[in-house]
């Protein structure tokens, strides 16, 4: 309705397109973005166009739009990560590593850029360099959950489950009321066979977010498996099934 009165407002047009994307209609969203004249397109709009082109399997136009966004507003981590995804797919990972290294050199205190550099190293098989980057990102911003998750994922891939758990526990110290972190720790402890610890973290996750179906499902399984609180286990399982109707684990 707003755009009927002010059809040339690029910010409103972008917000409309983003809303349409959330409805799962990328092609319709692109039609909205294409209505914005080139002279009115800023870096954010070119970034949105590039992401949509990638979703629509148009790597050439996607790259052109994303590189235009990077040119207009250099060193934005989200833009560089989108280009990294294209470079990885097309076999040009080295180009992204150089582009990201240049951005980090210009912004050495940027935790998101340092973390992104670690992601690039991990994709290139340079596990040690990736770990150093993730740890540096955590030093720069101890509240950056993405850096903890990237580091934990890297260590899990190399069979260092104990260190993975410690990494998430350190992340939890900075954000104790994070339901996803408690859920993740519950899952990790469950994989080690420590059911008591797993139950503790699942309970905490549910207390923070009563709608967290995955935690309810996992907790229900552990309670039932150990013959504890069977009535509650059944209630949790039914709630998880209602929230995850197509999930075979919940069923």
């Amino acid at each position: 309705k707003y755009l009927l009165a002010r059809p040339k407002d690029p910010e409103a047009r972008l917000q409309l397109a983003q809303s349409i994307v959330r409805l799962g209609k990328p092609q319709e969203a692109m039609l909205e973005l294409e209505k914005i004249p080139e002279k009115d397109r800023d870096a954010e709009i070119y970034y949105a166009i590039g992401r949509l082109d990638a979703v629509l399997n148009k790597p050439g136009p996607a790259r052109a739009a994303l590189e235009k966004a990077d040119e207009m507003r250099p060193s934005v981590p989200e833009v560089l990560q989108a280009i990294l995804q294209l470079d990885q797919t097309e076999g040009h990972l080295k180009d992204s590593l150089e582009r990201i290294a240049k951005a980090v050199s210009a912004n050495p205190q940027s935790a998101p850029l340092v973390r992104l550099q670690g992601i690039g190293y991990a994709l290139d098989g340079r596990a040690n360099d990736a770990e150093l980057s993730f740890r540096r990102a955590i030093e720069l911003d101890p509240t950056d959950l993405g850096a903890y998750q990237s580091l934990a994922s890297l260590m899990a891939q190399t069979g260092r489950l104990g260190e993975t758990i410690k990494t998430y526990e350190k992340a939890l110290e900075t954000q104790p009321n994070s339901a996803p972190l408690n859920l993740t720790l519950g899952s990790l402890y469950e994989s080690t066979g420590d059911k008591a610890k797993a139950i503790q973290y699942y309970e905490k996750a549910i207390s923070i977010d009563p709608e967290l179906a995955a935690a309810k499902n996992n907790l229900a399984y552990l309670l039932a498996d150990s013959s504890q609180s069977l009535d509650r286990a059944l209630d949790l399982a039914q709630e998880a099934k209602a929230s995850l109707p197509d999930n075979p684990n919940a069923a």
Side-chain angles (χ1 to χ4, degrees):
K1 290 180 179 179
Y2 175 87
L3 283 166
L4 288 175
R6 300 189 180 186
K8 294 184 179 181
D9 186 332
E11 177 62 25
R13 186 75 61 186
L14 174 61
Q15 290 182 10
L16 175 60
Q18 290 170 338
S19 298
I20 295 173
V21 167
R22 294 188 186 97
L23 294 175
K25 301 176 181 180
Q27 188 64 61
E28 292 183 25
M30 180 63 82
L31 292 175
E32 291 297 332
L33 292 178
E34 289 174 346
K35 293 177 184 178
I36 302 173
E38 288 191 19
K39 64 182 181 62
D40 295 330
R41 297 178 185 177
D42 59 12
E44 188 175 5
I45 291 171
Y46 275 111
Y47 170 65
I49 291 173
R51 291 298 303 275
L52 274 176
D53 275 326
V55 169
L56 295 170
N57 198 28
K58 298 178 180 178
R63 178 178 296 281
L66 291 169
E67 289 182 349
K68 182 69 174 178
D70 184 49
E71 176 187 333
M72 297 176 75
R73 191 177 167 198
S75 303
V76 175
E78 292 80 6
V79 175
L80 294 178
Q81 185 161 6
I83 297 174
L84 171 63
Q85 292 169 346
L86 287 176
D87 282 339
Q88 179 193 9
T89 301
E90 298 176 354
H92 302 302
L93 187 57
K94 182 179 178 182
D95 293 343
S96 261
L97 290 175
E98 292 176 355
R99 186 182 290 108
I100 294 168
K102 182 179 178 180
V104 171
S105 178
N107 305 272
Q109 301 302 309
S110 170
L113 283 174
V114 173
R115 173 163 58 89
L116 180 59
Q117 188 170 42
I119 292 172
Y121 287 146
L123 293 173
D124 197 36
R126 297 161 59 179
N128 290 336
D129 289 335
E131 181 173 342
L132 289 173
S133 292
F134 295 146
R135 292 189 182 280
R136 174 60 178 158
I138 291 170
E139 289 177 9
L140 291 170
D141 183 4
T143 67
D144 181 4
L145 291 183
Y148 287 106
Q149 291 167 340
S150 296
L151 177 60
S153 176
L154 178 69
M155 290 189 296
Q157 291 170 12
T158 55
R160 297 150 65 188
L161 185 57
E163 289 182 67
T164 303
I165 290 174
K166 289 180 181 178
T167 299
Y168 275 106
E169 286 178 334
K170 186 176 179 182
L172 195 61
E173 290 175 7
T174 67
Q175 298 198 40
N177 292 320
S178 168
L181 278 177
N182 279 282
L183 169 59
T184 300
L185 276 165
S187 299
L188 288 170
Y189 273 112
E190 185 176 355
S191 70
T192 69
D194 192 337
K195 294 182 180 179
K197 276 277 192 180
I199 289 173
Q200 172 189 330
Y201 281 109
Y202 289 146
E203 291 278 21
K204 179 65 174 176
I206 293 170
S207 71
I208 296 169
D209 182 1
E211 303 302 318
L212 195 57
K216 290 182 178 181
N217 182 66
N218 293 359
L219 178 57
Y221 177 83
L222 288 181
L223 292 177
D225 190 53
S226 56
S227 298
Q228 300 181 41
S229 307
L230 293 180
D231 289 342
R232 181 161 183 256
L234 179 58
D235 289 340
L236 288 166
Q238 289 174 332
E239 291 172 13
K241 179 67 170 68
S243 297
L244 303 168
D246 299 321
N247 187 305
N249 291 324

